Amino acid sequence: IAGKVVSVDAASNSFLLLQPKEERQFTVKLGESTTFVRLVFPFDTANPPAEATFTPERKIITIKNLKENDQVFVRSSSSIKTGQDIVDPLEVQVLP
C-alpha cells in the first residue's frame, strides 16, 4: 500500500498513512522485524550524470527520520483492510 504520512508518533513507533485517491487512512505500527528504509538516489535527479542508473540506494532509518508528507510504501505479510491497523509490516520504504 502506498500513501502519504499524515502524522508520526515516535513514542509508539507508529505513523498515520493516507491513501489520497481512496481517502483511506491506516495506522501503521512498526514491529521488531519491520525493515524501515529510505530510498535515495545517489545523484541529483534533475541533473543526472550520463552513466547514472535510476536504482536508488537503501538507507536504514528509524521512525525519528520520518516526517509528515513523506511518501511511503508499506508491504505487509497479511491482507490490508480498511478500518484496521497495519501491525508489524514486513517493510516500510520512504520514497525519494
Side-chain angles (χ1 to χ4, degrees):
I1 188 171
K4 178 176 80 169
V5 175
V6 175
S7 64
V8 179
D9 184 351
S12 69
N13 213 25
S14 67
F15 63 92
L16 188 61
L17 169 72
L18 170 67
Q19 272 191 303
K21 286 185 181 178
E22 294 83 5
E23 295 187 11
R24 297 189 303 176
Q25 290 189 352
F26 298 90
T27 298
V28 180
K29 298 179 178 181
L30 305 179
E32 292 291 322
S33 60
T34 302
T35 303
F36 197 43
V37 297
R38 180 177 298 276
L39 303 180
V40 180
F41 288 115
F43 54 84
D44 178 8
T45 56
N47 189 23
E51 70 281 355
T53 64
F54 282 82
T55 304
E57 296 175 0
R58 296 170 55 90
K59 300 203 184 252
I60 301 292
I61 61 172
T62 67
I63 191 79
K64 293 176 183 170
N65 302 111
L66 191 63
K67 298 183 287 303
E68 286 183 21
N69 296 318
D70 277 344
Q71 296 294 317
V72 295
F73 175 74
V74 178
R75 189 166 58 97
S76 179
S77 60
S78 57
S79 61
I80 296 171
K81 297 180 180 155
T82 301
Q84 293 183 358
D85 293 347
I86 302 170
V87 179
D88 196 15
L90 296 172
E91 182 175 53
V92 175
Q93 297 177 355
V94 181
L95 305 175

